[in-house]
Amino acid sequence: MERFELAKSAIIRAGAALRQCSLDKTEVQRKTGHQDLVTCWDRKIEQMLRREILDAFPQDRVLGEEYPEEPGSLDAVVWYFDPIDGTTNFVNQRRSYAVSIGCWEGEQPLFGLVLDVERSSLYWAKKGSGAWRDSEAICVSQRREISDLLLTTPCIQYTFLEIHPHRERMLKLARDVRAVRSLGSVALELCQVAAGEADMFVTTRSAPWDHNAARVILQEAGGCICTLDGDTLPVNSKTTVAAFNSPEMQKLILQSKY
Ligand code: 2AM
Ligand code: CA
């Protein structure tokens, strides 16, 4: 089976396991603090994905959230797994969480898949073949006025409340756009921009496993992505992220000194 087909069947099986699983209170733990949770299912699903992919492609490398390792050579095919993106939503709401699988060859994207687990909706894109939600083509919105934009950000505390170098810009942007939303999942929020349901996305912290699948989908849908400083997004390190419905919006926002 080729890599994409294997990834698709693995993500569908992971989603089925998550929809059926039960979660006891004792299986939820704090990772770095009370706002950073992990469950036994994050670990189980990542192990399942690793087994399935590495059994078929032992020469590939995997960078997953729960068992991170140095990705090594940038020339290798690297898989980026987030077994549950939006763990707090999984624990508290049992919706709005995703399984995310990105596959890159060095700095070149091959494909990305993001499964909205409880909706059983699969966002996917192969490089050069457009962006899809299940069998429907998706594309970014056409909005070009800042006052018309719906801005989404996955972590209100970090974007607007914590002190960081971009805070004033983020507050000004929040005042100038139509509305701000927070779903709590980097991957699903980037897919909302890809599908035209939101127009712009920002976060002060994101890891490769959070965004490397959805960024392929966003770019294939006509959107663009960079750091909050306007630089090219790194493939293999944690970073700030800004995503837009078009290169024109990116230019306008960055030139307006947001
Ligand atoms: P997670 O659910 O996989 O932890 C809102 O919390 C969003 O930010 C989620 O996508 C979450 O991913 C991500 N996130 C949470 N803590 C993070 C951290 N320390 N660094 C990067 N992303 C984080
Ligand atoms: Ca996760």
Side-chain angles (χ1 to χ4, degrees), residues 24-38:
D24 188 87
K25 262 203 312 229
T26 57
E27 293 163 336
V28 180
Q29 285 142 23
R30 291 178 179 185
K31 212 154 53 164
T32 56
H34 71 286
Q35 294 183 344
D36 189 10
L37 303 180
V38 66

Side-chain angles (χ1 to χ4, degrees), residues 31-32 35-37 42 65-66 82 84-89 154-155 158 182-187 189 203 205-207 209-210 238-239:
K31 212 154 53 164
T32 56
Q35 294 183 344
D36 189 10
L37 303 180
D42 297 70
E65 175 163 20
E66 307 308 333
D82 194 345
I84 304 182
D85 185 54
T87 300
T88 304
N89 293 346
C155 192
Y158 278 86
S182 182
L183 191 63
S185 159
V186 169
E189 289 178 41
T203 186
R205 48 177 212 166
S206 186
W209 46 80
D210 292 322
K238 292 191 178 182
T239 177

Side-chain angles (χ1 to χ4, degrees), residues 3-256:
R3 285 187 177 89
F4 177 81
E5 291 305 324
L6 178 63
K8 189 173 168 189
S9 66
I11 206 169
I12 286 169
R13 272 194 298 280
L18 285 167
R19 278 191 298 277
Q20 284 159 20
C21 78
S22 59
L23 183 66
D24 188 87
K25 262 203 312 229
T26 57
E27 293 163 336
V28 180
Q29 285 142 23
R30 291 178 179 185
K31 212 154 53 164
T32 56
H34 71 286
Q35 294 183 344
D36 189 10
L37 303 180
V38 66
T39 73
C40 60
W41 287 100
D42 297 70
R43 299 196 181 99
K44 281 184 199 170
I45 297 292
E46 185 167 326
Q47 278 171 343
M48 178 186 136
L49 295 175
R50 276 175 184 270
R51 241 187 343 263
E52 292 196 27
I53 302 300
L54 289 176
D55 278 356
F57 295 99
Q59 71 281 19
D60 291 359
R61 304 188 62 90
V62 167
L63 191 62
E65 175 163 20
E66 307 308 333
Y67 302 94
E69 56 180 75
E70 285 304 310
S73 160
L74 259 186
D75 297 332
V77 172
V78 183
W79 296 75
Y80 298 90
F81 292 157
D82 194 345
I84 304 182
D85 185 54
T87 300
T88 304
N89 293 346
F90 173 64
V91 171
N92 284 52
Q93 304 183 329
R94 214 48 197 258
R95 61 179 152 80
S96 307
Y97 64 94
V99 184
S100 174
I101 300 180
C103 187
W104 288 62
E105 187 158 21
E107 307 219 326
Q108 297 305 316
L110 300 179
F111 58 81
L113 300 116
V114 173
L115 179 70
D116 183 332
V117 175
E118 295 295 329
R119 287 184 158 165
S120 292
S121 249
L122 182 64
Y123 295 89
W124 59 277
K126 295 181 191 178
K127 174 75 183 157
S129 302
W132 304 81
R133 179 171 45 209
D134 302 319
S135 53
E136 169 205 2
I138 54 172
C139 68
V140 290
S141 70
Q142 297 299 313
R143 296 190 183 89
R144 294 289 182 268
E145 297 282 334
I146 293 174
S147 60
D148 289 340
L149 300 187
L150 189 75
L151 171 69
T152 181
T153 189
C155 192
I156 304 260
Q157 290 101 317
Y158 278 86
T159 306
F160 299 117
L161 304 181
E162 298 270 314
I163 305 299
H164 58 81
H166 304 284
R167 183 166 173 261
E168 288 309 314
R169 294 167 63 204
M170 295 300 103
L171 289 171
K172 176 163 166 44
L173 188 60
R175 285 186 206 104
D176 290 354
V177 294
R178 176 181 289 175
V180 182
R181 295 286 182 270
S182 182
L183 191 63
S185 159
V186 169
L188 289 178
E189 289 178 41
L190 286 170
C191 287
Q192 287 186 334
V193 180
E197 295 170 357
D199 309 299
M200 190 185 159
F201 166 95
V202 290
T203 186
T204 55
R205 48 177 212 166
S206 186
W209 46 80
D210 292 322
H211 57 250
N212 270 350
R215 72 189 276 194
V216 186
I217 299 164
L218 174 75
Q219 286 178 313
E220 286 296 320
C224 52
I225 195 162
C226 60
T227 69
L228 282 175
D229 292 303
D231 296 326
T232 303
L233 210 61
V235 178
N236 274 319
S237 51
K238 292 191 178 182
T239 177
T240 62
V241 177
F244 307 86
N245 65 3
S246 58
E248 293 88 335
M249 259 347 279
Q250 172 173 343
K251 202 169 156 204
L252 178 63
I253 299 270
L254 293 173
Q255 280 181 350
S256 306

